[in-house]
Amino acid sequence: VVGTAIAFLPLRWASMVTGMALLSYIGFSMILFRNGIIPNLVYPLLAIVLTYTATVSYSYVFEGRERKKALKAFQQYVSPEVIHEIMKHPEKLKLGGEKREITVLFSDVRGFTSFSEKLKPEQLVRMLNEYLTVMSDVLMAEKGLIDKYIGDAIMAFWGAPLDNKLHALDACTGALGMVRELVIIQKRFAQRNWPVINIGIGLNTGDAVVGNMGSEKRFNYTAMGDVVNLASRLEGLTKQYGVKIILSESTYRYVSKEF
């Protein structure tokens, strides 16, 4: 009974069940004693206590492992600084959807489809993974959240799940960091006789609905709204203007003094 209670009930209720089990057995033993039967008081009570202690300890260790797994998975999307802040203030991480002002970044590799057809699958995967790893590290170092990878494209945003008044500034700094790292990647790829890649980046700031979205069995923490669509369109415009970064007027209002 104690083991089942701990497995399926909150710890507070399971502790109450354990206490009731102890008191019930003691009361039952007193009734038996009055009727001339002397029950064993040591082993049954000890069994209840040991069952409670062992089951709670196992649950604590198991939940600790699951928590570490969840944190390790979340670290694939956000920087360690954000993880640390969430651990300190878990109430800031709201599940479900909410309206937040964020800065969205879209980046894409120029002509990726054309030269990817000329590479072997293993080579293509290695090249893409190396590129995405470097760029993701840059964005997460600036407190960005990696929303998703769409082939060679990256979508990231700032301002959620935690408040960040400097979300536009951090996003712009992250975009410039990507351009700096691109130069290093280009030299590295050239030494391996890999295709030289170029990227385009679009930045936009505005209100969006952010939260866990999807089905009951599979969902993703993401952002939705016109602010996301416009960031994607701005990234596409970098081809026409021949530049690597385009930011919207709404983003520029926040960073006009710094950039």
Side-chain angles (χ1 to χ4, degrees):
V1 170
V2 171
T4 303
I6 295 173
F8 295 99
L9 295 177
L11 184 60
R12 181 179 61 180
W13 292 103
S15 300
M16 292 177 63
V17 170
T18 303
M20 291 174 61
L22 290 170
L23 294 175
S24 297
Y25 184 77
I26 293 173
F28 181 67
S29 299
M30 292 175 65
I31 295 175
L32 292 178
F33 183 77
R34 290 174 182 173
N35 288 274
I37 301 174
I38 303 177
N40 191 311
L41 282 177
V42 177
Y43 295 120
L45 296 179
L46 185 62
I48 293 175
V49 173
L50 289 179
T51 300
Y52 176 83
T53 304
T55 311
V56 169
S57 299
Y58 174 79
S59 298
Y60 179 80
V61 172
F62 180 76
E63 289 178 2
R65 289 176 181 174
E66 292 299 312
R67 187 180 184 187
K68 289 181 180 178
K69 288 181 180 179
L71 286 175
K72 187 176 181 180
F74 204 46
Q75 284 176 344
Q76 308 301 316
Y77 303 95
V78 298
S79 65
E81 291 80 6
V82 175
I83 290 289
H84 182 68
E85 187 67 17
I86 291 174
M87 292 293 294
K88 287 173 56 180
H89 305 285
E91 70 279 359
K92 293 184 178 181
L93 182 59
K94 296 181 180 179
L95 299 180
E98 60 176 337
K99 190 175 181 180
R100 298 283 287 271
E101 184 184 60
I102 63 173
T103 297
V104 182
L105 177 147
F106 263 93
S107 73
D108 190 29
V109 176
R110 295 284 167 260
F112 181 78
T113 304
S114 60
F115 67 71
S116 65
E117 297 173 351
K118 303 175 183 178
L119 299 175
K120 295 180 180 180
E122 298 82 4
Q123 190 179 27
L124 177 64
V125 170
R126 182 185 172 190
M127 176 181 175
L128 186 58
N129 286 343
E130 185 172 338
Y131 162 78
L132 292 176
T133 298
V134 172
M135 296 305 177
S136 299
D137 289 344
V138 171
L139 296 177
M140 288 192 292
E142 298 299 332
K143 303 178 183 179
L145 186 144
I146 306 296
D147 186 307
K148 60 176 67 71
Y149 302 107
I150 310 169
D152 58 296
I154 302 175
M155 175 186 169
F157 58 85
W158 288 255
L162 300 179
D163 292 329
N164 180 5
K165 295 181 180 179
L166 301 177
H167 52 81
L169 181 63
D170 290 339
C172 290
T173 304
L176 291 174
M178 292 177 69
V179 173
R180 286 193 297 269
E181 289 296 328
L182 178 66
V183 176
I184 301 175
I185 292 176
Q186 288 173 336
K187 294 179 181 178
R188 191 183 306 160
F189 284 7
Q191 293 173 354
R192 303 173 186 171
N193 294 321
W194 288 359
V196 177
I197 63 174
N198 284 292
I199 62 174
I201 301 172
L203 293 164
N204 186 34
T205 302
D207 291 334
V209 177
V210 294
N212 287 320
M213 302 176 194
S215 66
E216 292 182 355
K217 295 182 179 180
R218 183 177 177 85
F219 54 84
N220 180 39
Y221 189 85
T222 186
M224 297 174 58
D226 291 338
V227 61
V228 178
N229 299 330
L230 182 54
S232 177
R233 300 296 186 272
L234 291 174
E235 179 275 316
L237 282 176
T238 57
K239 301 176 185 178
Q240 299 182 27
Y241 285 94
V243 296
K244 288 185 171 60
I245 304 174
I246 290 182
L247 65 159
S248 68
E249 182 182 2
S250 58
T251 302
Y252 184 65
R253 291 198 200 103
Y254 282 94
V255 299
S256 58
K257 294 182 180 179
E258 290 82 5
F259 299 105

Coordinates of all heavy atoms in Angstrom, one line a residue, residues 121-161:
P121 N 26.2 12.2 -49.7 CA 25.4 12.4 -48.5 C 26.1 12.5 -47.2 O 25.9 13.4 -46.4 CB 24.5 11.1 -48.5 CG 24.4 10.7 -49.9 CD 25.8 11.0 -50.5
E122 N 27.2 11.7 -47.0 CA 28.0 11.7 -45.8 C 28.7 13.1 -45.7 O 28.8 13.7 -44.6 CB 29.0 10.6 -45.7 CG 28.4 9.2 -45.7 CD 28.0 8.7 -47.1 OE1 28.3 9.4 -48.1 OE2 27.4 7.6 -47.2
Q123 N 29.2 13.5 -46.8 CA 29.9 14.8 -46.8 C 29.0 16.0 -46.6 O 29.4 16.9 -45.9 CB 30.6 15.0 -48.2 CG 31.6 16.1 -48.3 CD 32.3 16.2 -49.6 OE1 31.7 15.8 -50.6 NE2 33.5 16.7 -49.6
L124 N 27.8 15.9 -47.2 CA 26.8 16.9 -47.0 C 26.4 17.1 -45.6 O 26.3 18.2 -45.0 CB 25.6 16.7 -47.9 CG 24.5 17.7 -47.8 CD1 24.9 19.1 -48.3 CD2 23.3 17.2 -48.6
V125 N 26.1 15.9 -44.9 CA 25.7 15.9 -43.5 C 26.8 16.5 -42.6 O 26.5 17.3 -41.7 CB 25.3 14.5 -43.1 CG1 25.1 14.5 -41.6 CG2 24.0 14.0 -43.8
R126 N 28.0 16.1 -42.9 CA 29.1 16.5 -42.1 C 29.3 18.1 -42.2 O 29.5 18.8 -41.2 CB 30.4 15.8 -42.5 CG 31.7 16.2 -41.7 CD 32.9 15.6 -42.2 NE 34.1 16.1 -41.6 CZ 35.3 15.9 -42.0 NH1 35.5 15.1 -43.1 NH2 36.4 16.4 -41.4
M127 N 29.2 18.5 -43.5 CA 29.4 19.9 -43.7 C 28.3 20.8 -43.1 O 28.5 21.8 -42.4 CB 29.3 20.2 -45.3 CG 29.4 21.6 -45.7 SD 29.3 21.7 -47.5 CE 29.2 23.5 -47.7
L128 N 27.0 20.3 -43.2 CA 25.9 21.0 -42.6 C 25.9 21.0 -41.1 O 25.7 22.0 -40.5 CB 24.6 20.4 -43.1 CG 23.3 21.1 -42.8 CD1 23.3 22.5 -43.3 CD2 22.1 20.3 -43.3
N129 N 26.3 19.9 -40.5 CA 26.3 19.8 -39.1 C 27.4 20.7 -38.5 O 27.2 21.3 -37.4 CB 26.6 18.4 -38.6 CG 25.3 17.5 -38.8 OD1 24.2 18.0 -38.9 ND2 25.5 16.2 -38.8
E130 N 28.5 20.8 -39.2 CA 29.6 21.6 -38.7 C 29.2 23.1 -38.8 O 29.5 23.9 -37.8 CB 30.9 21.4 -39.5 CG 32.1 22.1 -39.1 CD 33.4 21.8 -39.8 OE1 33.4 20.6 -40.3 OE2 34.3 22.6 -39.8
Y131 N 28.6 23.4 -39.9 CA 28.1 24.8 -40.0 C 27.1 25.2 -38.9 O 27.1 26.2 -38.3 CB 27.5 25.0 -41.4 CG 26.6 26.2 -41.5 CD1 27.2 27.5 -41.7 CD2 25.3 26.1 -41.5 CE1 26.4 28.6 -41.8 CE2 24.4 27.2 -41.6 CZ 25.0 28.5 -41.8 OH 24.2 29.6 -41.9
L132 N 26.1 24.3 -38.8 CA 25.0 24.6 -37.8 C 25.5 24.6 -36.4 O 25.0 25.4 -35.6 CB 23.9 23.5 -38.0 CG 23.1 23.6 -39.3 CD1 22.1 22.4 -39.3 CD2 22.3 24.9 -39.4
T133 N 26.5 23.8 -36.1 CA 27.0 23.8 -34.7 C 27.7 25.1 -34.4 O 27.4 25.7 -33.3 CB 28.0 22.6 -34.6 OG1 27.4 21.4 -34.8 CG2 28.7 22.6 -33.2
V134 N 28.5 25.6 -35.3 CA 29.2 26.8 -35.1 C 28.2 28.0 -34.9 O 28.3 28.8 -34.0 CB 30.2 27.1 -36.2 CG1 30.8 28.5 -36.1 CG2 31.3 26.1 -36.2
M135 N 27.3 28.1 -35.8 CA 26.3 29.2 -35.8 C 25.4 29.1 -34.6 O 25.0 30.1 -34.0 CB 25.5 29.2 -37.1 CG 26.3 29.4 -38.4 SD 27.2 31.0 -38.2 CE 28.1 31.0 -39.7
S136 N 25.0 27.9 -34.2 CA 24.1 27.8 -33.0 C 24.9 28.2 -31.8 O 24.3 28.8 -30.9 CB 23.7 26.3 -32.9 OG 22.9 25.9 -34.0
D137 N 26.1 27.9 -31.7 CA 26.9 28.3 -30.5 C 27.0 29.8 -30.4 O 26.9 30.4 -29.3 CB 28.3 27.7 -30.6 CG 28.4 26.2 -30.4 OD1 27.4 25.7 -29.9 OD2 29.4 25.5 -30.7
V138 N 27.1 30.5 -31.6 CA 27.2 31.9 -31.6 C 25.9 32.5 -31.1 O 25.9 33.4 -30.2 CB 27.5 32.4 -33.0 CG1 27.3 34.0 -33.1 CG2 28.9 32.0 -33.4
L139 N 24.8 32.0 -31.5 CA 23.5 32.5 -31.2 C 23.2 32.3 -29.7 O 22.7 33.2 -29.0 CB 22.4 31.9 -32.0 CG 22.5 32.3 -33.5 CD1 21.4 31.5 -34.3 CD2 22.4 33.8 -33.8
M140 N 23.5 31.1 -29.2 CA 23.2 30.8 -27.8 C 24.1 31.5 -26.9 O 23.8 31.8 -25.7 CB 23.3 29.2 -27.6 CG 22.2 28.4 -28.2 SD 22.1 26.7 -27.7 CE 23.6 26.1 -28.4
A141 N 25.3 31.9 -27.4 CA 26.2 32.7 -26.5 C 25.7 34.1 -26.3 O 26.0 34.7 -25.3 CB 27.6 32.8 -27.2
E142 N 24.8 34.5 -27.2 CA 24.1 35.8 -27.0 C 22.7 35.7 -26.5 O 21.8 36.5 -26.7 CB 24.0 36.5 -28.4 CG 25.4 36.8 -29.0 CD 26.2 37.8 -28.1 OE1 25.6 38.6 -27.4 OE2 27.5 37.7 -28.2
K143 N 22.5 34.6 -25.8 CA 21.2 34.3 -25.0 C 20.0 34.1 -26.0 O 18.9 34.3 -25.6 CB 20.9 35.4 -24.1 CG 22.0 35.7 -23.0 CD 21.6 36.9 -22.1 CE 22.7 37.2 -21.2 NZ 22.4 38.3 -20.3
G144 N 20.3 33.6 -27.2 CA 19.3 33.3 -28.1 C 18.7 31.9 -27.9 O 19.4 31.0 -27.4
L145 N 17.5 31.7 -28.3 CA 16.8 30.4 -28.3 C 16.7 29.9 -29.7 O 16.1 30.5 -30.5 CB 15.5 30.5 -27.6 CG 14.8 29.1 -27.4 CD1 14.0 29.2 -26.1 CD2 13.8 28.8 -28.5
I146 N 17.3 28.7 -30.0 CA 17.2 28.1 -31.3 C 15.8 27.4 -31.4 O 15.5 26.5 -30.7 CB 18.3 27.0 -31.5 CG1 19.7 27.6 -31.2 CG2 18.2 26.4 -32.9 CD1 20.1 28.7 -32.2
D147 N 15.0 28.0 -32.2 CA 13.6 27.5 -32.4 C 13.6 26.2 -33.2 O 13.1 25.2 -32.8 CB 12.7 28.6 -33.1 CG 11.3 28.1 -33.2 OD1 11.0 27.0 -33.7 OD2 10.4 28.9 -32.7
K148 N 14.2 26.3 -34.4 CA 14.2 25.1 -35.3 C 15.3 25.2 -36.4 O 15.7 26.3 -36.7 CB 12.8 24.9 -35.9 CG 12.4 26.0 -36.8 CD 11.0 25.7 -37.4 CE 9.9 25.6 -36.5 NZ 9.5 26.9 -35.9
Y149 N 15.6 24.1 -36.9 CA 16.4 24.0 -38.1 C 15.5 23.6 -39.3 O 14.8 22.5 -39.1 CB 17.6 23.0 -38.0 CG 18.5 23.3 -36.8 CD1 18.5 22.6 -35.7 CD2 19.4 24.4 -36.9 CE1 19.3 22.8 -34.6 CE2 20.2 24.7 -35.8 CZ 20.2 23.9 -34.7 OH 21.0 24.2 -33.6
I150 N 15.5 24.3 -40.4 CA 14.8 23.9 -41.5 C 15.8 23.6 -42.7 O 16.1 24.5 -43.4 CB 13.8 25.0 -42.0 CG1 13.0 25.5 -40.7 CG2 12.8 24.6 -43.1 CD1 12.2 26.8 -41.0
G151 N 16.3 22.4 -42.7 CA 17.4 22.1 -43.6 C 18.6 22.9 -43.2 O 19.1 22.7 -42.1
D152 N 19.0 23.8 -44.1 CA 20.2 24.6 -43.8 C 19.8 25.9 -43.1 O 20.7 26.7 -42.8 CB 21.0 24.9 -45.1 CG 20.1 25.6 -46.1 OD1 19.2 25.0 -46.6 OD2 20.4 26.8 -46.4
A153 N 18.6 26.2 -42.9 CA 18.1 27.4 -42.3 C 18.0 27.3 -40.8 O 17.7 26.2 -40.3 CB 16.7 27.8 -42.9
I154 N 18.2 28.4 -40.1 CA 18.1 28.5 -38.7 C 17.1 29.6 -38.3 O 17.1 30.7 -38.8 CB 19.4 28.9 -38.0 CG1 20.5 27.9 -38.4 CG2 19.3 29.0 -36.5 CD1 21.9 28.3 -37.9
M155 N 16.2 29.2 -37.4 CA 15.3 30.2 -36.8 C 15.5 30.3 -35.3 O 15.6 29.3 -34.6 CB 13.8 29.8 -37.0 CG 12.8 30.8 -36.3 SD 11.1 30.2 -36.4 CE 10.3 31.4 -35.2
A156 N 15.8 31.5 -34.8 CA 16.1 31.7 -33.4 C 15.3 33.0 -33.0 O 15.0 33.8 -33.8 CB 17.6 31.9 -33.2
F157 N 15.1 33.1 -31.7 CA 14.5 34.4 -31.2 C 15.0 34.7 -29.8 O 15.5 33.8 -29.1 CB 13.0 34.3 -31.3 CG 12.3 33.2 -30.5 CD1 12.0 33.3 -29.1 CD2 12.0 32.0 -31.1 CE1 11.4 32.3 -28.4 CE2 11.3 31.0 -30.4 CZ 11.1 31.2 -29.1
W158 N 14.8 36.0 -29.4 CA 15.2 36.5 -28.1 C 14.0 37.1 -27.5 O 13.1 37.7 -28.2 CB 16.3 37.5 -28.3 CG 17.7 37.0 -28.7 CD1 18.7 36.9 -27.8 CD2 18.1 36.6 -30.0 NE1 19.8 36.4 -28.5 CE2 19.4 36.2 -29.8 CE3 17.5 36.5 -31.2 CZ2 20.2 35.7 -30.9 CZ3 18.2 36.0 -32.3 CH2 19.5 35.6 -32.1
G159 N 13.9 37.1 -26.1 CA 12.8 37.7 -25.4 C 11.9 36.7 -24.8 O 10.9 37.1 -24.1
A160 N 12.1 35.5 -25.0 CA 11.3 34.4 -24.4 C 12.2 33.1 -24.4 O 13.1 33.0 -25.2 CB 10.0 34.2 -25.2
P161 N 12.0 32.2 -23.4 CA 10.9 32.2 -22.4 C 11.2 33.2 -21.3 O 10.3 33.5 -20.5 CB 11.0 30.8 -21.9 CG 12.4 30.4 -22.1 CD 12.8 31.0 -23.3

